[in-house]
Amino acid sequence: MKLRRKILLAIILLVFIPVIVMGGVSYYSFSDTIEKKSSHFYWVSLLETDRKLKFALSEITTISNSAITQQSVQQMLKQPEYAITYDRRQEINNLINHPMIASFAFYSNERLVYHTDDALGMQELREQDWYGKVREAEGRPVWVGPGENGSAETGTMALIQARLIKDYDSLEDIGTVVIYVKPDLLDQVFWEAQTLKQGDILLVNKQGKVVFNKSGEHIGNRAAFPFLTQEQDNGKGYYVDNYLNEKSLITYLPSHHKDWFLVAITPSRLISSESAPIRNIALLLGAVSLGSAFLFDRFFVRRMVRSIISAVNGMKRVKQGIFSPISSHRPADDETDLLIDGFNRMSSQIQELIGQVQTEQARKKEAELQALVAQINPHFIYNSLESINSMAVLQGNKDISRMVVSLGKLLRISISENHELIPLSMELEHVRHYMRIQKFRFEDKFDYAIELPEHLRHYVTQKLIVQPVVENALYHGIEPMDRTGFISIKVMEEETDIVVDITDNGPGFSQETLLMLWDKEPSQMKKYRENGVGLKNVHERLKIRFGSRYGIMICSASGCGSTIRLRLPKLLT
């Protein structure tokens, strides 16, 4: 996967998804809270509705309790020949008198005895579904709602209370009373019930029939509520289910009437509308975070990745030996631009270093070529020198013999040694042979001294770095003098370095002369040009081999002699 896509994916994972998750958690948490609050609100409303329903029904029950114990009612049901006069009719009507009672009827065990308005015949009464419950109640009042007694289907809804009438003395069954209560009683009770907009409260029996509901619709219909068939610990609860093909919050509470339940229905869309703002805010935040991620990718990540890709492509070109700079149209104001600028500077420096290395390689090849030329048949030269030495010994010329021996050893060290680094003792031995040869030439014109501490003998140095400096002191310092010259070679240590001081008592030279010799030294004097190795060459060799802190330091002044210091690192073989 490419870097840009990884960064975009990381932004989405770290920003967009957490925002969506937090919004979703907040939305569902708020929805659950609203659901619980709504359920509690309805539970309180159902509890208050049931209390009012109990009070309203109790008023009717009190009237019927008083009526069935009256002597006129008892005699009317026990005596078949009991004549119901106008006065007795008025008395009975006054016994069961309430604004909500529409009519009533008294039945003996064999027939309909007394009624107001229309009433069921004795046979019809016995055929009613609820009549068996009346017989089982043994005189306790039985309530039958509009959805249970079939009155809702005929359009003349009524709430029925029916109960057996006992003989006041013997407690034997002597009849039945049926009281028809106006549905206004239930309307008043349910109308005052608190509901949310478009919510409804139902009175349902255990068979699932809607006994009554606040809206007045669906009375008598059957509803399959799960709690009707389940054992309830405390009898109350709530759940979400479909009701009339609409997802709704259903809160239920058992009524004081053992066969009834109060049920509150609230469409879920009403509840979700309360949490809709939080949902919308969560979606808006998700859209904003996603849009921000793409804008961040468009205006920042893309430019950053483009800079990185440019740097990678530049590195590929460097690998191929192409050091073209990366073009940048913007000033360096952040890390990506600094990356391009740093790469360009690095590429330029590498190109310069490669040029320097190539130059040094060319010089090295030239030196190797010269060394090869100088090494043409070295054995022939050694053998020739041995022959000259033998002839000098035979002739008794010891000076020639010593000079030939020193020259042979000098050539053997400078030409035949294959190692680039040699011990300091060997390097100074090379210088000592060189000085012996020069002593034969200059005779007593100069003298020299070499000091090498024993503990520094085994430290290594680059080959042929002291002899060119000594030669420079001999030709430029000692040769022009009228008095006897002296060259001192002293090796010392300074912390982690070794210094070699080559001091002469020559006339010295000014700074201008030094700069001229430094720049033009290889072509100044024939003697020195033939040697091919100067101070500048020694300085560059030391810097290339050991680093920029190592090389030559020159200290000189007109008439005060010269001191040239070589600084070397402490290295052991």
Side-chain angles (χ1 to χ4, degrees):
M1 184 182 292
K2 293 186 177 180
L3 178 61
R4 184 179 176 185
R5 293 181 180 176
K6 288 182 179 179
I7 295 176
L8 181 60
L9 180 61
I11 294 173
I12 291 176
L13 291 177
L14 296 176
V15 178
F16 175 70
I17 292 181
V19 169
I20 290 298
V21 170
M22 290 176 61
V25 170
S26 299
Y27 171 71
Y28 286 109
S29 177
F30 186 76
S31 298
D32 184 64
T33 302
I34 290 294
E35 186 176 283
K36 291 180 179 178
K37 292 291 184 182
S38 300
S39 172
H40 180 72
F41 165 79
Y42 268 115
W43 178 78
V44 173
S45 179
L46 293 179
L47 197 63
E48 180 64 17
T49 301
D50 187 58
R51 185 186 66 80
K52 292 179 179 179
L53 178 62
K54 180 179 180 181
F55 178 78
L57 298 182
S58 296
E59 288 188 10
I60 306 299
T61 301
T62 301
I63 293 174
S64 64
N65 284 341
S66 175
I68 62 176
T69 58
Q70 297 299 316
Q71 185 177 2
S72 57
V73 174
Q74 292 277 318
Q75 291 179 353
M76 179 179 63
L77 297 177
K78 289 191 294 184
Q79 301 175 7
E81 71 282 355
Y82 185 78
I84 303 176
T85 62
Y86 176 79
D87 293 336
R88 290 177 177 173
R89 184 183 298 273
Q90 290 297 322
E91 182 184 356
I92 295 173
N93 290 342
N94 290 332
L95 290 176
I96 303 179
N97 184 21
H98 191 275
M100 291 298 171
I101 296 178
S103 62
F104 59 89
F106 286 99
Y107 297 86
S108 64
N109 291 331
E110 291 84 17
R111 62 185 179 87
L112 174 62
V113 177
Y114 181 84
H115 65 91
T116 60
D117 295 336
D118 295 332
L120 297 174
M122 188 63 192
Q123 185 60 34
E124 291 177 319
L125 176 63
R126 291 173 177 172
E127 292 175 355
Q128 298 299 314
D129 296 334
W130 44 266
Y131 184 70
K133 295 181 180 180
V134 175
R135 302 294 298 178
E136 293 173 0
E138 291 292 333
R140 293 184 296 273
V142 174
W143 289 96
V144 186
E148 298 173 300
N149 57 35
S151 61
E153 300 174 1
T154 61
T156 56
M157 291 194 298
L159 175 63
I160 297 177
Q161 185 195 79
R163 61 191 302 180
L164 290 178
I165 301 175
K166 297 286 187 175
D167 186 345
Y168 190 78
D169 297 322
S170 63
L171 297 180
E172 295 180 357
D173 296 339
I174 59 174
T176 305
V177 61
V178 178
I179 302 174
Y180 296 88
V181 181
K182 297 177 182 178
D184 297 348
L185 177 70
L186 297 177
D187 282 335
Q188 289 180 1
V189 171
F190 280 82
W191 183 257
E192 295 176 358
Q194 297 294 324
T195 60
L196 296 179
K197 185 180 179 182
Q198 299 181 14
D200 198 4
I201 293 183
L202 285 64
L203 189 62
V204 182
N205 64 14
K206 290 186 176 181
Q207 287 73 41
K209 276 193 172 184
V210 179
V211 178
F212 190 81
N213 67 329
K214 182 177 179 179
S215 64
E217 302 174 355
H218 315 298
I219 298 176
N221 293 349
R222 190 176 295 275
F225 293 116
F227 60 84
L228 297 176
T229 58
Q230 296 175 356
E231 291 292 334
Q232 303 294 326
D233 294 337
N234 55 11
K236 63 180 180 180
Y238 72 94
Y239 63 96
V240 177
D241 200 357
N242 287 330
Y243 177 74
L244 298 179
N245 299 322
E246 184 175 12
K247 188 177 181 181
S248 303
L249 172 67
I250 301 174
T251 308
Y252 58 90
L253 176 73
S255 174
H256 72 281
H257 191 290
K258 64 178 182 179
D259 292 329
W260 289 348
F261 281 85
L262 287 166
V263 182
I265 306 294
T266 309
S268 295
R269 54 186 171 81
L270 297 179
I271 299 175
S272 61
S273 63
E274 298 292 331
S275 55
I278 292 182
R279 178 197 60 199
N280 297 336
I281 290 174
L283 294 176
L284 178 61
L285 290 176
V288 169
S289 63
L290 185 61
S292 299
F294 282 106
L295 289 176
F296 183 75
D297 173 74
R298 173 67 176 80
F299 292 104
F300 177 75
V301 175
R302 188 176 70 169
R303 187 170 67 85
M304 180 185 68
V305 172
R306 185 187 300 166
S307 298
I308 295 175
I309 292 175
S310 299
V312 171
N313 293 333
M315 291 178 183
K316 291 180 180 178
R317 290 195 297 269
V318 169
K319 186 178 181 181
Q320 297 171 357
I322 303 172
F323 296 93
S324 58
I326 301 173
S327 60
S328 178
H329 304 290
R330 296 167 52 92
D333 57 359
D334 62 13
E335 285 77 2
T336 57
D337 297 320
L338 291 175
L339 173 66
I340 299 300
D341 183 64
F343 175 83
N344 289 337
R345 285 190 280 106
M346 180 193 71
S347 178
S348 176
Q349 292 174 358
I350 291 176
Q351 191 173 12
E352 292 176 1
L353 290 174
I354 290 177
Q356 293 177 6
V357 171
Q358 290 174 345
T359 301
E360 295 300 329
Q361 289 294 329
R363 291 180 180 177
K364 184 177 180 181
K365 288 182 179 179
E366 183 179 355
E368 289 175 352
L369 182 60
Q370 292 178 359
L372 288 174
V373 172
Q375 291 178 5
I376 295 174
N377 201 0
H379 292 288
F380 173 74
I381 296 175
Y382 298 150
N383 292 334
S384 298
L385 291 175
E386 288 293 333
S387 298
I388 295 172
N389 183 41
S390 298
M391 292 176 65
V393 171
L394 291 174
Q395 294 295 327
N397 195 332
K398 295 182 179 180
D399 290 338
I400 294 176
S401 176
R402 284 195 295 270
M403 187 174 181
V404 168
V405 170
S406 294
L407 178 61
K409 292 184 178 179
L410 183 69
L411 291 175
R412 187 175 298 277
I413 294 173
S414 61
I415 297 176
S416 300
E417 184 62 47
N418 294 323
H419 298 291
E420 183 71 18
L421 298 177
I422 62 174
L424 275 171
S425 59
M426 184 178 291
E427 174 67 12
L428 295 183
E429 181 69 21
H430 176 269
V431 173
R432 184 174 287 107
H433 289 299
Y434 173 77
M435 298 293 280
R436 285 177 181 174
I437 294 173
Q438 293 296 338
K439 284 283 286 183
F440 283 108
R441 178 188 174 197
F442 290 98
E443 296 180 348
D444 296 330
K445 192 174 179 59
F446 77 95
D447 202 354
Y448 70 92
I450 300 176
E451 296 182 24
L452 175 61
E454 186 66 26
H455 67 280
L456 298 179
R457 293 177 59 84
H458 300 290
Y459 286 101
V460 297
T461 181
Q462 203 165 12
K463 184 171 68 175
L464 296 178
I465 61 167
V466 179
Q467 184 269 335
V469 179
V470 173
E471 184 176 0
N472 181 79
L474 186 63
Y475 281 107
H476 291 284
I478 303 302
E479 187 175 14
M481 292 174 56
D482 294 332
R483 64 182 187 277
T484 302
F486 184 79
I487 298 175
S488 171
I489 304 169
K490 188 175 183 180
V491 181
M492 299 170 291
E493 61 176 333
E494 288 186 359
E495 297 180 353
T496 59
D497 295 336
I498 294 176
V499 294
V500 181
D501 287 348
I502 298 96
T503 305
D504 67 79
N505 61 345
F509 42 83
S510 64
Q511 184 176 359
E512 292 77 11
T513 304
L514 174 62
L515 292 175
M516 181 181 68
L517 291 175
W518 187 267
D519 293 335
K520 300 181 179 179
E521 188 186 32
S523 61
Q524 286 299 305
M525 299 175 64
K526 182 179 179 180
K527 295 178 182 178
Y528 206 55
R529 181 175 66 248
E530 289 173 351
N531 182 68
V533 180
L535 297 180
K536 186 175 182 179
N537 182 275
V538 172
H539 180 68
E540 290 179 350
R541 286 168 60 206
L542 290 175
K543 283 180 63 178
I544 292 173
R545 181 71 184 183
F546 300 121
S548 60
R549 64 171 293 186
Y550 300 102
I552 289 178
M553 184 181 72
I554 301 175
C555 181
S556 180
S558 297
C560 297
S562 302
T563 297
I564 297 176
R565 171 167 288 187
L566 304 180
R567 182 172 293 276
L568 313 169
K570 278 186 176 180
L571 296 176
L572 289 172
T573 54

